[in-house]
Amino acid sequence: MVKFVESELTQIKREVDQMWTLVFNQMEQSHEAVLNLDRTIAQQIMVRERRVDAYELKIDSDVEDFIALFSPVAVDLRFVLAMLKINGDLERIGDYADGIARFVRDTDMNEMDPELIENLQIKTMFSVVLNMLGTLQEALREEDAAKATAVLSQDEQLDMINKSSASILADYARKNPDAIPFCLGFGGVFRKLERTGDHLTNIAEEIVFYIDAKVLKHNNAEE
Amino acid sequence: MEKIEAKEVDFYYGDFHALKHISMDIPQNKVVAFIGPSGCGKSTFLRLFNRMNDLVPGSRLEGEILIDGKNIYAPEVQVDELRKEVGMVFQRPNPFPKSIFENVAYGLRVNGIKDKAFIEHRVEEALKGAALWNEVKEKLNASAYALSGGQQQRLCIARAMAVSPSVLLMDEPASALDPISTAKIEELISDMRGKVTIVIVTHNMQQASRVSDKTAFFYMGEMIEYDDTKVIFTNPHKEATQNYITGRFG
């Protein structure tokens, strides 16, 4: 019994890891696409989004089967519950990468203003998101709760950059009225990256829940 | 409030040290499950609560077991009186070769009750309590052996409950039954919760998690972990417990 239960769990973990790599690549590519307003890359991201959705359905189904067939308890139950939730979070992050690609496809702008890019700190924002995504993937692979917890503080930086982006884009739109539609769409990219940070925070909490059985969620009640 | 208190209990079958230094409190009117691999001592421990092990030659108990604060191994304790308070249901249903009615009435008659109306009332009450009344009310004089295995087990529960014990010990009460009969026994346990203290030994982990308030895990004569059932099955504190309940034992 032990061996085949282990092999089912290993299979679910492998699928989540593969989905994770795909979502990481989608987000990395969306960075590339948005900086260069590269519509070819954007198109590739939109095509690959279907694979992210397919992974989500497969993992959902595998976890459902595992719960129905093996009645997991304790660490096994926490593991499959965490995988189910992480699966949902990764799918949402995949949606955000797809949303960013759609912005690139639809905008009338052909190239980015380097000064605007610098002021908005969008490179930093992508770098933080990708760093969180990669570190959390390692944390799950290595079952390292401390590594997962370490990324939590980075979400604040995403919130701050997102907050400041609104006024920078408003100023830019004021000075460049032709760019108003672009600025509205570009603002959506920041909100997507900020929401990605929230999902990554959820993922960190799920990893800690699985490994240490601690619930970090909603612990900051004073906020 | 504690119904049963085991204090530093060691138990020996001859030279074999079957239970090692076990202390635990069983709260009143709760359901407590004992789980663990075969030979871990859980049934031996259960049988100490109504002194069933007294019958085993060469067995020896050290430590104390208190029910309602009184040491049940004190010299003045009458074992028959103790067993009125502490009923027991076994793995295989063991009805007497008598009618359904007489099986349930047996304990009352042995206790000297002669009032026919009272006995009839108690038998009906006990059979209703065991969710068997509707199935047998038309054939109370039929042989208990005519009942199915699941019905026989519920009859044994009715028989045990007829004398109104405050503790019911159940040693794998559903392991010989089909899933429907098992569900009925589990429903009975759930109905009795809050009215009687139940200690159940089971190999079925899902059964322990479904029916009990607290669970104790035993291994090689030791009680490894004892906690709320929710804790044991979601986040046990001992690795051995986790290995056992997730099937990684051995």
Side-chain angles (χ1 to χ4, degrees):
Chain A
M1 175 189 165
V2 177
K3 274 186 186 163
F4 62 76
V5 172
E6 285 288 356
S7 109
E8 294 284 334
L9 292 170
T10 305
Q11 174 64 14
I12 292 171
K13 193 172 180 179
R14 190 181 302 126
E15 284 168 358
V16 170
D17 191 66
Q18 287 165 350
M19 180 185 188
W20 207 310
T21 301
L22 178 61
V23 168
F24 184 94
N25 290 340
Q26 289 284 84
M27 196 45 91
E28 199 173 38
Q29 293 283 289
S30 73
H31 183 202
E32 192 75 23
V34 85
L35 280 187
N36 302 312
L37 293 178
D38 187 326
R39 291 179 177 81
T40 309
I41 295 176
Q43 188 59 36
Q44 288 166 354
I45 292 169
M46 287 184 286
V47 170
R48 279 198 300 265
E49 165 62 8
R50 281 179 233 144
R51 284 185 58 205
V52 178
D53 291 345
Y55 265 114
E56 189 210 10
L57 293 175
K58 175 81 167 70
I59 291 165
D60 262 359
S61 159
D62 286 354
V63 168
E64 186 186 341
D65 289 350
F66 185 80
I67 290 173
L69 298 176
F70 299 101
S71 306
V73 293
V75 67
D76 294 346
L77 179 62
R78 295 200 306 273
F79 173 78
V80 289
L81 290 178
M83 291 309 108
L84 197 63
K85 290 182 178 178
I86 289 173
N87 182 34
D89 285 316
L90 287 175
E91 192 275 334
R92 293 299 297 152
I93 295 171
D95 279 351
Y96 293 138
D98 179 70
I100 293 168
R102 282 170 197 277
F103 158 72
V104 171
R105 181 193 64 183
D106 297 339
T107 184
D108 294 335
M109 199 72 89
N110 284 318
E111 61 181 40
M112 285 284 186
D113 179 339
E115 199 185 334
L116 177 67
I117 291 295
E118 191 63 34
N119 291 341
L120 285 169
Q121 299 182 71
I122 193 164
K123 287 182 184 171
T124 307
M125 211 171 185
F126 267 109
S127 160
V128 170
V129 162
L130 291 171
N131 178 52
M132 287 174 82
L133 203 45
T135 306
L136 288 170
Q137 187 176 19
E138 280 172 21
L140 181 62
R141 278 180 189 158
E142 297 161 13
E143 308 207 331
D144 184 341
K147 199 174 241 184
T149 316
V151 308
L152 287 170
S153 60
Q154 295 183 43
D155 186 40
E156 281 172 30
Q157 200 179 354
L158 298 177
D159 292 344
M160 279 164 53
I161 298 175
N162 174 50
K163 222 172 191 176
S164 65
S165 71
S167 59
I168 295 170
L169 282 169
D171 280 351
Y172 190 81
R174 226 171 275 134
K175 288 173 194 159
N176 304 278
D178 291 349
I180 289 175
F182 164 78
C183 289
L184 289 173
F186 202 21
V189 171
F190 288 85
R191 282 191 295 280
K192 286 180 177 66
L193 291 174
E194 187 273 328
R195 290 292 297 136
T196 299
D198 294 343
H199 285 284
L200 289 167
T201 302
N202 291 347
I203 289 176
E205 289 164 350
E206 294 309 331
I207 292 173
V208 174
F209 163 74
Y210 152 52
I211 297 169
D212 286 351
K214 284 179 195 155
V215 179
L216 296 182
K217 216 168 262 188
H218 312 308
N219 269 359
N220 46 353
E222 74 279 3
E223 285 181 15
Chain B
M1 186 183 166
E2 308 308 340
K3 180 71 181 176
I4 305 173
E5 295 162 82
K7 294 185 172 176
E8 296 178 359
V9 169
D10 284 85
F11 188 78
Y12 301 83
Y13 291 114
D15 293 336
F16 178 64
H17 197 172
L19 294 172
K20 297 167 188 167
H21 227 60
I22 294 175
S23 294
M24 80 183 300
D25 294 336
I26 292 177
Q28 187 166 29
N29 296 346
K30 297 282 182 194
V31 181
V32 173
F34 291 174
I35 60 169
S38 297
C40 67
K42 56 192 187 301
S43 289
T44 297
F45 192 48
L46 183 84
R47 287 199 294 262
L48 290 177
F49 298 158
N50 68 347
R51 295 186 54 171
M52 288 288 284
N53 291 326
D54 287 10
L55 305 170
V56 180
S59 62
R60 180 162 58 90
L61 172 80
E62 290 171 9
E64 284 185 339
I65 292 179
L66 279 61
I67 293 184
D68 293 326
K70 290 177 190 146
N71 183 359
I72 61 168
Y73 284 84
E76 67 274 15
V77 170
Q78 297 286 321
V79 175
D80 293 350
E81 290 297 315
L82 170 72
R83 290 185 188 152
K84 260 193 258 169
E85 271 303 301
V86 186
M88 190 158 189
V89 176
F90 298 86
Q91 183 175 7
R92 295 207 168 267
N94 54 352
F96 300 140
K98 290 172 179 288
S99 70
I100 293 166
F101 184 93
E102 283 306 321
N103 260 276
V104 184
Y106 186 84
L108 299 166
R109 293 197 203 285
V110 164
N111 285 311
I113 295 168
K114 294 195 173 80
D115 182 340
K116 205 177 158 205
F118 177 78
I119 291 175
E120 282 175 2
H121 171 71
R122 276 303 297 150
V123 168
E124 182 176 336
E125 217 172 49
L127 285 168
K128 281 179 176 167
L132 193 58
W133 176 250
N134 286 338
E135 292 162 57
V136 300
K137 64 184 176 190
E138 309 295 341
K139 50 177 180 183
L140 290 172
N141 293 319
S143 166
Y145 290 154
L147 298 173
S148 71
Q151 288 174 322
Q152 286 185 16
Q153 192 64 310
R154 278 182 283 147
L155 180 69
C156 292
I157 293 173
R159 185 176 67 193
M161 293 307 292
V163 293
S164 307
S166 59
V167 177
L168 186 61
L169 309 177
M170 304 179 109
D171 196 352
E172 298 187 49
S175 63
L177 305 181
D178 66 65
I180 293 168
S181 303
T182 298
K184 284 183 179 165
I185 299 289
E186 290 181 8
E187 211 170 307
L188 257 184
I189 294 170
S190 172
D191 290 345
M192 289 190 286
R193 173 184 281 128
K195 298 172 198 154
V196 57
T197 305
I198 297 174
V199 188
I200 176 172
V201 164
T202 178
H203 274 128
N204 181 334
M205 244 108 45
Q206 274 73 48
Q207 184 169 73
S209 64
R210 279 193 297 262
V211 303
S212 69
D213 300 295
K214 291 174 86 80
T215 297
F217 168 57
F218 290 80
Y219 183 58
M220 292 178 77
E222 290 181 51
M223 190 180 71
I224 305 295
E225 188 166 354
Y226 176 48
D227 211 325
D228 289 346
T229 296
K230 213 180 271 180
V231 173
I232 294 286
F233 285 94
T234 56
N235 186 24
H237 295 106
K238 299 284 171 65
E239 202 179 347
T241 313
Q242 175 145 289
N243 287 343
Y244 181 72
I245 62 172
T246 56
R248 290 182 174 81
F249 215 73

